[in-house]
Amino acid sequence: MKVLSVIWKIYDDRLQEFADDTTGLIVVRDLCEYLGRKIESYLLLGKEYVSKTNLDNIHLVDSRSTAENNHGKPHLEIMKEVFEKSLIDIGPDIVHIHDCGDFCRMCMKICINRGVPFVFTAHSFIEKDQKISSKYEKHINFQREVFTTPNIYVVAVGKGLAHKISKEYPNLKKKQLRVIQNGTGFKPEIFDYKLKNDLRLKNRKILICPGKITERKNQIQIVKAFKLLPKLVQEKISILFCGNDRLNGKLIEAIKDAGLEEPLRYLGTLSSEQMKKYYSICDGFITASITEGLSIAALEALAYGLPLIMFSDVECAMDLNDEHISCFAEERTDESLAGTIEKWYCKEWNKEYILEYSKQFSMDKVANYYIECYQDILSDK
């Protein structure tokens, strides 16, 4: 079987064009790799032009030669030609399109017009009435177009995500929407604890909050909640924020305004290898996301035996609903989140239980589930 995966961008330090873009979906890269150990796995990237090459078991589709022969053409037109050419040259049994954007939507339309079987994986979902910035309106419009496409096949990366999609788009039949929970090929490495001393956090329990600094990720509410903690608890906890700042310094400004520069630190954007050093010194993971698929960062934290803090209404809470690994804030208030942080701090967590729990999210299993999904779609067609 041949599968052609399509996405705007990934993060991979082996590719010069994508080595610094830590906002790219690592989970898609890992999935393509694990698929390639079982079937022929091709990957087309939309954001930058790359040459034909192999990344271990991934066959990267050439887009550079087409671009060089089409100077002056708009980028999306060039990528349209690349995609159409790849359908002929590779002859994939199925195309796997990942998440939203003009490039992915264009590829979807080409598949529909040519009768090429495809599946769309939703890595996130913004509800129509979600109270987030207006910049997500395009994303919502894209979702509406995709989920109302006749005979579309959709994979949701978590049970909570699928529940929200089916609630808002009841037109999707059972066979059209399936759940394949995210997994990770992340291999935890334990580094020494010198970093904790370097950060002058030796006597504190540390929470890590990875992810782009955005309104949707909602990190500023964590600052507000921390400020409500009893002074004695504040003195025993630190929170490390890391990720690409898309709020133009508003998180750092909120930390300064609250006078919490000592316990709350913004570390900037970290590579996967740097993340391993910080996971090694942490005691827990926290997110205040307004909406979140099955978070890869949360799965990485579990692989280090770290318990999770999040709101109970976020999509991935349904997938991680185990009191031995998660602490849920039941209300979307600063007070509720503060109480949950304190509950996490006071609870004795079983690290071995969490490590064992994390094994269910292996990327090898995820790849097998996707191959079954491809076979079902092809049989249905």
Side-chain angles (χ1 to χ4, degrees):
M1 180 186 287
K2 296 179 185 178
V3 58
L4 171 60
S5 300
V6 176
I7 192 168
W8 182 241
K9 63 181 179 178
I10 60 169
Y11 166 69
D12 195 309
D13 56 15
R14 295 170 295 179
L15 292 171
Q16 182 182 350
E17 299 84 358
F18 295 91
D20 298 321
D21 199 339
T22 54
T23 61
L25 287 177
I26 295 175
V27 65
V28 175
R29 180 204 65 189
D30 288 350
L31 173 60
C32 291
E33 164 60 27
Y34 279 79
L35 285 172
R37 298 176 188 181
K38 304 167 190 290
I39 59 176
E40 288 186 60
S41 176
Y42 296 84
L43 175 61
L44 173 59
L45 299 166
K47 187 181 179 184
E48 304 286 349
Y49 304 125
V50 297
S51 301
K52 179 180 179 181
T53 188
N54 291 336
L55 298 175
D56 294 333
N57 291 291
I58 303 171
H59 304 300
L60 210 60
V61 175
D62 171 46
S63 55
R64 181 164 284 129
S65 59
T66 302
E68 288 170 350
N69 294 326
N70 286 275
H71 287 299
K73 266 192 180 181
H75 179 73
L76 207 57
E77 281 189 34
I78 293 172
M79 291 312 302
K80 178 176 184 287
E81 189 173 322
V82 171
F83 180 64
E84 290 175 330
K85 185 174 184 297
S86 67
L87 292 179
I88 297 168
D89 293 348
I90 297 167
D93 295 287
I94 193 165
V95 172
H96 191 164
I97 297 171
H98 289 273
D99 227 26
C100 303
D102 294 336
F103 169 64
C104 289
R105 184 62 184 131
M106 176 191 72
C107 294
M108 197 177 295
K109 287 178 177 177
I110 292 170
C111 287
I112 292 169
N113 292 336
R114 295 192 173 204
V116 176
F118 73 94
V119 61
F120 170 77
T121 290
H123 293 271
S124 61
F125 182 72
I126 309 294
E127 293 170 284
K128 294 172 188 173
D129 61 350
Q130 198 81 57
K131 300 297 187 289
I132 312 182
S133 155
S134 58
K135 70 180 180 179
Y136 289 98
E137 285 179 12
K138 186 176 181 180
H139 188 106
I140 292 170
N141 291 335
F142 177 90
Q143 289 176 167
R144 185 183 300 112
E145 192 176 351
V146 170
F147 297 134
T148 56
T149 298
N151 304 313
I152 186 83
Y153 293 98
V154 177
V155 170
V157 298
K159 291 180 283 188
L161 197 66
H163 175 73
K164 287 194 173 182
I165 292 171
S166 61
K167 184 179 175 183
E168 201 149 293
Y169 293 94
N171 59 288
L172 290 169
K173 299 173 185 175
K174 188 176 180 181
K175 72 174 184 178
Q176 290 179 270
L177 176 62
R178 71 167 66 198
V179 176
I180 299 179
Q181 290 179 311
N182 264 344
T184 177
F186 185 76
K187 304 296 182 188
E189 295 176 59
I190 304 299
F191 289 81
D192 63 47
Y193 292 89
K194 183 176 179 294
L195 179 59
K196 193 168 185 176
N197 293 334
D198 292 344
L199 293 169
R200 304 184 307 281
L201 298 174
K202 188 177 180 181
N203 299 317
R204 292 178 182 263
K205 282 189 175 182
I206 302 176
L207 287 166
I208 192 162
C209 182
K212 287 179 286 187
I213 312 302
T214 63
E215 187 177 344
R216 181 176 71 83
K217 294 284 187 180
N218 194 31
Q219 289 94 340
I220 290 176
Q221 187 172 11
I222 297 174
V223 180
K224 294 175 181 177
F226 192 92
K227 196 172 181 181
L228 298 177
L229 290 170
K231 203 71 176 173
L232 288 174
V233 178
Q234 284 188 16
E235 292 170 355
K236 295 294 183 180
I237 298 176
S238 181
I239 302 178
L240 304 178
F241 299 92
C242 51
N244 189 3
D245 183 6
R246 298 290 184 86
L247 289 180
N248 300 315
K250 288 182 180 178
L251 174 64
I252 297 171
E253 186 180 323
I255 292 171
K256 285 182 178 178
D257 289 347
L260 297 171
E261 296 99 318
E262 179 60 26
L264 306 186
R265 315 274 184 92
Y266 171 58
L267 305 174
T269 303
L270 302 179
S271 68
S272 181
E273 290 307 306
Q274 288 173 316
M275 284 299 302
K276 291 178 180 181
K277 294 180 181 180
Y278 283 95
Y279 281 131
S280 295
I281 66 168
C282 287
D283 303 281
F285 167 98
I286 186 169
T287 176
S289 285
I290 295 170
T291 176
E292 188 77 52
L294 186 45
S295 164
I296 294 302
L299 299 186
E300 290 177 354
L302 291 177
Y304 274 87
L306 307 183
L308 314 173
I309 298 172
M310 63 184 71
F311 284 108
S312 62
D313 65 348
V314 75
E315 294 90 331
C316 58
M318 188 180 288
D319 301 272
L320 302 167
N321 188 10
D322 184 320
E323 64 180 1
H324 301 298
I325 67 118
S326 296
C327 231
F328 295 141
E330 297 298 333
E331 298 175 3
R332 279 272 170 189
T333 63
D334 301 343
E335 291 79 7
S336 179
L337 184 55
T340 306
I341 294 172
E342 189 170 0
K343 181 181 175 183
W344 162 82
Y345 172 74
C346 295
K347 183 172 178 174
E348 289 292 326
W349 297 93
N350 185 333
K351 187 171 185 176
E352 293 307 313
Y353 179 93
I354 298 172
L355 290 171
E356 189 62 32
Y357 183 94
S358 73
K359 291 177 183 177
Q360 67 185 284
F361 300 106
S362 78
M363 188 54 77
D364 192 59
K365 288 182 180 178
V366 175
N368 287 334
Y369 292 144
Y370 270 108
I371 292 171
E372 287 178 17
C373 173
Y374 302 152
Q375 291 168 340
D376 288 347
I377 292 170
L378 293 173
S379 297
D380 194 40
K381 289 290 185 184

